[in-house]
mmCIF file of all heavy atoms in Angstrom:
data_model
loop_
_atom_site.group_PDB
_atom_site.id
_atom_site.type_symbol
_atom_site.label_atom_id
_atom_site.label_comp_id
_atom_site.label_asym_id
_atom_site.label_seq_id
_atom_site.Cartn_x
_atom_site.Cartn_y
_atom_site.Cartn_z
ATOM 1 N N MET A 225 87.869 -120.725 -42.144
ATOM 2 C CA MET A 225 87.523 -122.120 -41.661
ATOM 3 C C MET A 225 87.249 -122.033 -40.138
ATOM 4 O O MET A 225 86.419 -122.744 -39.624
ATOM 5 C CB MET A 225 88.608 -123.097 -41.988
ATOM 6 C CG MET A 225 88.879 -123.214 -43.515
ATOM 7 S SD MET A 225 87.371 -123.614 -44.434
ATOM 8 C CE MET A 225 87.952 -123.250 -46.093
ATOM 9 N N SER A 226 87.981 -121.129 -39.425
ATOM 10 C CA SER A 226 87.755 -120.978 -37.998
ATOM 11 C C SER A 226 86.327 -120.447 -37.728
ATOM 12 O O SER A 226 85.710 -120.869 -36.758
ATOM 13 C CB SER A 226 88.752 -119.946 -37.412
ATOM 14 O OG SER A 226 90.060 -120.481 -37.550
ATOM 15 N N LEU A 227 85.842 -119.622 -38.654
ATOM 16 C CA LEU A 227 84.491 -119.089 -38.530
ATOM 17 C C LEU A 227 83.473 -120.285 -38.495
ATOM 18 O O LEU A 227 82.564 -120.297 -37.661
ATOM 19 C CB LEU A 227 84.136 -118.111 -39.606
ATOM 20 C CG LEU A 227 82.735 -117.561 -39.691
ATOM 21 C CD1 LEU A 227 82.433 -116.796 -38.399
ATOM 22 C CD2 LEU A 227 82.567 -116.697 -40.864
ATOM 23 N N TYR A 228 83.688 -121.237 -39.372
ATOM 24 C CA TYR A 228 82.725 -122.328 -39.447
ATOM 25 C C TYR A 228 82.947 -123.285 -38.268
ATOM 26 O O TYR A 228 81.953 -123.937 -37.875
ATOM 27 C CB TYR A 228 82.870 -123.036 -40.813
ATOM 28 C CG TYR A 228 82.058 -122.367 -41.859
ATOM 29 C CD1 TYR A 228 82.577 -121.332 -42.590
ATOM 30 C CD2 TYR A 228 80.696 -122.688 -42.030
ATOM 31 C CE1 TYR A 228 81.810 -120.681 -43.514
ATOM 32 C CE2 TYR A 228 79.907 -122.093 -42.988
ATOM 33 C CZ TYR A 228 80.484 -121.011 -43.752
ATOM 34 O OH TYR A 228 79.696 -120.405 -44.674
ATOM 35 N N LYS A 229 84.166 -123.427 -37.803
ATOM 36 C CA LYS A 229 84.341 -124.201 -36.549
ATOM 37 C C LYS A 229 83.552 -123.571 -35.467
ATOM 38 O O LYS A 229 82.972 -124.275 -34.605
ATOM 39 C CB LYS A 229 85.855 -124.276 -36.232
ATOM 40 C CG LYS A 229 86.672 -125.101 -37.179
ATOM 41 C CD LYS A 229 86.711 -126.578 -36.782
ATOM 42 C CE LYS A 229 87.557 -126.752 -35.515
ATOM 43 N NZ LYS A 229 87.658 -128.240 -35.149
ATOM 44 N N ALA A 230 83.588 -122.280 -35.351
ATOM 45 C CA ALA A 230 82.876 -121.555 -34.301
ATOM 46 C C ALA A 230 81.326 -121.735 -34.450
ATOM 47 O O ALA A 230 80.683 -121.979 -33.488
ATOM 48 C CB ALA A 230 83.277 -120.071 -34.337
ATOM 49 N N MET A 231 80.868 -121.656 -35.680
ATOM 50 C CA MET A 231 79.471 -121.826 -35.998
ATOM 51 C C MET A 231 79.007 -123.231 -35.558
ATOM 52 O O MET A 231 77.906 -123.379 -34.967
ATOM 53 C CB MET A 231 79.100 -121.566 -37.466
ATOM 54 C CG MET A 231 79.342 -120.105 -37.887
ATOM 55 S SD MET A 231 79.221 -119.886 -39.660
ATOM 56 C CE MET A 231 77.527 -120.354 -39.991
ATOM 57 N N LEU A 232 79.800 -124.232 -35.879
ATOM 58 C CA LEU A 232 79.415 -125.575 -35.537
ATOM 59 C C LEU A 232 79.416 -125.774 -34.045
ATOM 60 O O LEU A 232 78.418 -126.385 -33.488
ATOM 61 C CB LEU A 232 80.487 -126.592 -36.157
ATOM 62 C CG LEU A 232 80.205 -128.030 -35.864
ATOM 63 C CD1 LEU A 232 78.943 -128.492 -36.477
ATOM 64 C CD2 LEU A 232 81.354 -128.863 -36.432
ATOM 65 N N ASN A 233 80.454 -125.311 -33.302
ATOM 66 C CA ASN A 233 80.378 -125.402 -31.851
ATOM 67 C C ASN A 233 79.244 -124.647 -31.210
ATOM 68 O O ASN A 233 78.669 -125.114 -30.229
ATOM 69 C CB ASN A 233 81.724 -124.888 -31.288
ATOM 70 C CG ASN A 233 82.860 -125.960 -31.511
ATOM 71 O OD1 ASN A 233 82.877 -126.977 -30.884
ATOM 72 N ND2 ASN A 233 83.778 -125.631 -32.340
ATOM 73 N N LYS A 234 78.888 -123.538 -31.815
ATOM 74 C CA LYS A 234 77.758 -122.772 -31.266
ATOM 75 C C LYS A 234 76.456 -123.564 -31.450
ATOM 76 O O LYS A 234 75.628 -123.657 -30.549
ATOM 77 C CB LYS A 234 77.663 -121.422 -32.065
ATOM 78 C CG LYS A 234 76.384 -120.671 -31.860
ATOM 79 C CD LYS A 234 76.391 -119.362 -32.608
ATOM 80 C CE LYS A 234 75.017 -118.677 -32.691
ATOM 81 N NZ LYS A 234 74.119 -119.411 -33.567
ATOM 82 N N LYS A 235 76.257 -124.177 -32.637
ATOM 83 C CA LYS A 235 75.077 -124.975 -32.875
ATOM 84 C C LYS A 235 75.007 -126.221 -32.000
ATOM 85 O O LYS A 235 73.933 -126.638 -31.636
ATOM 86 C CB LYS A 235 75.029 -125.416 -34.345
ATOM 87 C CG LYS A 235 74.259 -124.435 -35.253
ATOM 88 C CD LYS A 235 74.126 -125.083 -36.636
ATOM 89 C CE LYS A 235 73.092 -124.238 -37.454
ATOM 90 N NZ LYS A 235 71.708 -124.408 -37.003
ATOM 91 N N MET A 236 76.186 -126.726 -31.607
ATOM 92 C CA MET A 236 76.177 -127.927 -30.766
ATOM 93 C C MET A 236 76.225 -127.540 -29.250
ATOM 94 O O MET A 236 76.426 -128.446 -28.411
ATOM 95 C CB MET A 236 77.467 -128.739 -31.077
ATOM 96 C CG MET A 236 77.475 -129.290 -32.538
ATOM 97 S SD MET A 236 78.872 -130.316 -32.885
ATOM 98 C CE MET A 236 78.494 -131.795 -31.940
ATOM 99 N N GLY A 237 75.966 -126.282 -28.962
ATOM 100 C CA GLY A 237 75.870 -125.904 -27.587
ATOM 101 C C GLY A 237 77.158 -125.880 -26.817
ATOM 102 O O GLY A 237 77.200 -126.234 -25.587
ATOM 103 N N GLN A 238 78.226 -125.485 -27.500
ATOM 104 C CA GLN A 238 79.578 -125.487 -26.825
ATOM 105 C C GLN A 238 80.164 -124.003 -26.921
ATOM 106 O O GLN A 238 81.043 -123.760 -27.795
ATOM 107 C CB GLN A 238 80.508 -126.463 -27.489
ATOM 108 C CG GLN A 238 80.030 -127.883 -27.435
ATOM 109 C CD GLN A 238 80.819 -128.886 -28.258
ATOM 110 O OE1 GLN A 238 81.701 -128.475 -29.045
ATOM 111 N NE2 GLN A 238 80.474 -130.156 -28.149
ATOM 112 N N PRO A 239 79.611 -123.097 -26.142
ATOM 113 C CA PRO A 239 79.975 -121.661 -26.293
ATOM 114 C C PRO A 239 81.459 -121.405 -26.042
ATOM 115 O O PRO A 239 82.043 -120.533 -26.691
ATOM 116 C CB PRO A 239 79.127 -120.965 -25.236
ATOM 117 C CG PRO A 239 78.757 -122.051 -24.282
ATOM 118 C CD PRO A 239 78.648 -123.301 -25.052
ATOM 119 N N ASP A 240 82.081 -122.094 -25.144
ATOM 120 C CA ASP A 240 83.483 -121.822 -24.849
ATOM 121 C C ASP A 240 84.394 -122.259 -26.054
ATOM 122 O O ASP A 240 85.304 -121.497 -26.431
ATOM 123 C CB ASP A 240 83.980 -122.673 -23.600
ATOM 124 C CG ASP A 240 83.307 -122.099 -22.334
ATOM 125 O OD1 ASP A 240 82.884 -120.976 -22.292
ATOM 126 O OD2 ASP A 240 83.202 -122.891 -21.354
ATOM 127 N N SER A 241 84.095 -123.398 -26.631
ATOM 128 C CA SER A 241 84.830 -123.761 -27.863
ATOM 129 C C SER A 241 84.601 -122.818 -28.991
ATOM 130 O O SER A 241 85.505 -122.449 -29.726
ATOM 131 C CB SER A 241 84.465 -125.224 -28.249
ATOM 132 O OG SER A 241 84.805 -126.134 -27.277
ATOM 133 N N ALA A 242 83.358 -122.405 -29.123
ATOM 134 C CA ALA A 242 83.031 -121.434 -30.164
ATOM 135 C C ALA A 242 83.751 -120.152 -30.001
ATOM 136 O O ALA A 242 84.293 -119.546 -30.956
ATOM 137 C CB ALA A 242 81.500 -121.170 -30.189
ATOM 138 N N ARG A 243 83.853 -119.672 -28.774
ATOM 139 C CA ARG A 243 84.504 -118.410 -28.503
ATOM 140 C C ARG A 243 86.021 -118.507 -28.798
ATOM 141 O O ARG A 243 86.667 -117.580 -29.241
ATOM 142 C CB ARG A 243 84.245 -118.006 -27.051
ATOM 143 C CG ARG A 243 84.832 -116.637 -26.665
ATOM 144 C CD ARG A 243 84.287 -116.269 -25.234
ATOM 145 N NE ARG A 243 84.685 -117.259 -24.286
ATOM 146 C CZ ARG A 243 84.469 -117.210 -22.966
ATOM 147 N NH1 ARG A 243 83.885 -116.095 -22.551
ATOM 148 N NH2 ARG A 243 84.798 -118.170 -22.146
ATOM 149 N N PHE A 244 86.628 -119.695 -28.595
ATOM 150 C CA PHE A 244 88.004 -119.894 -28.852
ATOM 151 C C PHE A 244 88.352 -119.682 -30.303
ATOM 152 O O PHE A 244 89.353 -119.041 -30.676
ATOM 153 C CB PHE A 244 88.423 -121.341 -28.495
ATOM 154 C CG PHE A 244 89.814 -121.711 -28.891
ATOM 155 C CD1 PHE A 244 90.932 -121.289 -28.261
ATOM 156 C CD2 PHE A 244 90.003 -122.514 -30.094
ATOM 157 C CE1 PHE A 244 92.196 -121.655 -28.664
ATOM 158 C CE2 PHE A 244 91.226 -122.848 -30.526
ATOM 159 C CZ PHE A 244 92.351 -122.392 -29.793
ATOM 160 N N TYR A 245 87.415 -120.042 -31.240
ATOM 161 C CA TYR A 245 87.673 -119.983 -32.668
ATOM 162 C C TYR A 245 87.427 -118.662 -33.277
ATOM 163 O O TYR A 245 87.734 -118.448 -34.425
ATOM 164 C CB TYR A 245 86.920 -121.088 -33.483
ATOM 165 C CG TYR A 245 87.538 -122.474 -33.249
ATOM 166 C CD1 TYR A 245 86.903 -123.433 -32.377
ATOM 167 C CD2 TYR A 245 88.713 -122.864 -33.823
ATOM 168 C CE1 TYR A 245 87.417 -124.701 -32.202
ATOM 169 C CE2 TYR A 245 89.248 -124.123 -33.662
ATOM 170 C CZ TYR A 245 88.616 -125.030 -32.831
ATOM 171 O OH TYR A 245 89.118 -126.307 -32.682
ATOM 172 N N ILE A 246 86.768 -117.739 -32.574
ATOM 173 C CA ILE A 246 86.400 -116.459 -33.180
ATOM 174 C C ILE A 246 87.359 -115.340 -32.793
ATOM 175 O O ILE A 246 87.191 -114.195 -33.237
ATOM 176 C CB ILE A 246 84.940 -116.025 -32.805
ATOM 177 C CG1 ILE A 246 84.881 -115.845 -31.219
ATOM 178 C CG2 ILE A 246 83.922 -117.031 -33.266
ATOM 179 C CD1 ILE A 246 83.551 -115.248 -30.802
ATOM 180 N N LYS A 247 88.365 -115.667 -32.079
ATOM 181 C CA LYS A 247 89.348 -114.598 -31.644
ATOM 182 C C LYS A 247 89.939 -113.932 -32.858
ATOM 183 O O LYS A 247 90.637 -114.546 -33.643
ATOM 184 C CB LYS A 247 90.436 -115.230 -30.783
ATOM 185 C CG LYS A 247 89.956 -115.716 -29.420
ATOM 186 C CD LYS A 247 91.024 -116.320 -28.608
ATOM 187 C CE LYS A 247 90.526 -116.778 -27.258
ATOM 188 N NZ LYS A 247 91.588 -117.484 -26.459
ATOM 189 N N GLY A 248 89.732 -112.643 -32.998
ATOM 190 C CA GLY A 248 90.361 -111.872 -34.072
ATOM 191 C C GLY A 248 89.712 -112.006 -35.440
ATOM 192 O O GLY A 248 90.175 -111.425 -36.434
ATOM 193 N N ILE A 249 88.680 -112.851 -35.585
ATOM 194 C CA ILE A 249 88.126 -113.111 -36.846
ATOM 195 C C ILE A 249 87.614 -111.880 -37.588
ATOM 196 O O ILE A 249 87.920 -111.654 -38.733
ATOM 197 C CB ILE A 249 86.958 -114.193 -36.791
ATOM 198 C CG1 ILE A 249 87.617 -115.558 -36.701
ATOM 199 C CG2 ILE A 249 86.113 -114.143 -38.040
ATOM 200 C CD1 ILE A 249 86.579 -116.686 -36.597
ATOM 201 N N PRO A 250 86.788 -110.985 -36.961
ATOM 202 C CA PRO A 250 86.203 -109.842 -37.720
ATOM 203 C C PRO A 250 87.261 -108.927 -38.285
ATOM 204 O O PRO A 250 87.033 -108.259 -39.281
ATOM 205 C CB PRO A 250 85.373 -109.144 -36.679
ATOM 206 C CG PRO A 250 85.014 -110.162 -35.707
ATOM 207 C CD PRO A 250 86.245 -111.075 -35.590
ATOM 208 N N SER A 251 88.449 -108.918 -37.670
ATOM 209 C CA SER A 251 89.502 -107.986 -38.201
ATOM 210 C C SER A 251 90.316 -108.620 -39.357
ATOM 211 O O SER A 251 91.019 -107.967 -40.042
ATOM 212 C CB SER A 251 90.437 -107.541 -37.080
ATOM 213 O OG SER A 251 91.125 -108.709 -36.567
ATOM 214 N N LYS A 252 90.202 -109.921 -39.512
ATOM 215 C CA LYS A 252 91.077 -110.644 -40.462
ATOM 216 C C LYS A 252 90.270 -111.305 -41.619
ATOM 217 O O LYS A 252 90.877 -111.679 -42.630
ATOM 218 C CB LYS A 252 91.898 -111.722 -39.733
ATOM 219 C CG LYS A 252 92.792 -111.174 -38.695
ATOM 220 C CD LYS A 252 93.481 -112.380 -37.980
ATOM 221 C CE LYS A 252 94.330 -111.911 -36.843
ATOM 222 N NZ LYS A 252 94.965 -113.030 -36.109
ATOM 223 N N ILE A 253 89.005 -111.438 -41.419
ATOM 224 C CA ILE A 253 88.193 -112.246 -42.404
ATOM 225 C C ILE A 253 88.007 -111.431 -43.713
ATOM 226 O O ILE A 253 88.133 -110.244 -43.729
ATOM 227 C CB ILE A 253 86.808 -112.552 -41.799
ATOM 228 C CG1 ILE A 253 86.182 -113.775 -42.438
ATOM 229 C CG2 ILE A 253 85.886 -111.383 -41.898
ATOM 230 C CD1 ILE A 253 86.819 -115.067 -41.999
ATOM 231 N N TRP A 254 87.721 -112.144 -44.775
ATOM 232 C CA TRP A 254 87.462 -111.514 -46.088
ATOM 233 C C TRP A 254 86.285 -110.623 -45.973
ATOM 234 O O TRP A 254 85.305 -110.856 -45.227
ATOM 235 C CB TRP A 254 87.172 -112.599 -47.153
ATOM 236 C CG TRP A 254 88.394 -113.309 -47.580
ATOM 237 C CD1 TRP A 254 89.553 -112.786 -48.098
ATOM 238 C CD2 TRP A 254 88.578 -114.753 -47.586
ATOM 239 N NE1 TRP A 254 90.491 -113.740 -48.397
ATOM 240 C CE2 TRP A 254 89.923 -114.979 -48.090
ATOM 241 C CE3 TRP A 254 87.846 -115.860 -47.238
ATOM 242 C CZ2 TRP A 254 90.416 -116.273 -48.267
ATOM 243 C CZ3 TRP A 254 88.352 -117.103 -47.375
ATOM 244 C CH2 TRP A 254 89.660 -117.313 -47.893
ATOM 245 N N GLU A 255 86.280 -109.532 -46.799
ATOM 246 C CA GLU A 255 85.233 -108.517 -46.750
ATOM 247 C C GLU A 255 83.863 -109.130 -47.092
ATOM 248 O O GLU A 255 82.843 -108.713 -46.516
ATOM 249 C CB GLU A 255 85.591 -107.432 -47.693
ATOM 250 C CG GLU A 255 84.673 -106.202 -47.640
ATOM 251 C CD GLU A 255 84.796 -105.447 -46.293
ATOM 252 O OE1 GLU A 255 85.897 -105.530 -45.705
ATOM 253 O OE2 GLU A 255 83.821 -104.800 -45.901
ATOM 254 N N ASP A 256 83.859 -110.023 -48.087
ATOM 255 C CA ASP A 256 82.511 -110.560 -48.520
ATOM 256 C C ASP A 256 81.832 -111.444 -47.512
ATOM 257 O O ASP A 256 80.630 -111.694 -47.646
ATOM 258 C CB ASP A 256 82.648 -111.239 -49.863
ATOM 259 C CG ASP A 256 83.647 -112.397 -49.827
ATOM 260 O OD1 ASP A 256 84.496 -112.412 -48.896
ATOM 261 O OD2 ASP A 256 83.602 -113.268 -50.732
#
Side-chain angles (χ1 to χ4, degrees):
M225 301 308 165
S226 297
L227 175 62
Y228 276 88
K229 288 275 285 183
M231 291 171 66
L232 179 63
N233 284 291
K234 170 180 166 288
K235 269 189 169 287
M236 296 183 71
Q238 300 171 356
D240 291 337
S241 298
R243 189 171 51 178
F244 171 79
Y245 286 106
I246 62 173
K247 293 178 181 179
I249 282 181
S251 62
K252 301 177 183 178
I253 204 77
W254 285 306
E255 187 68 27
D256 56 340

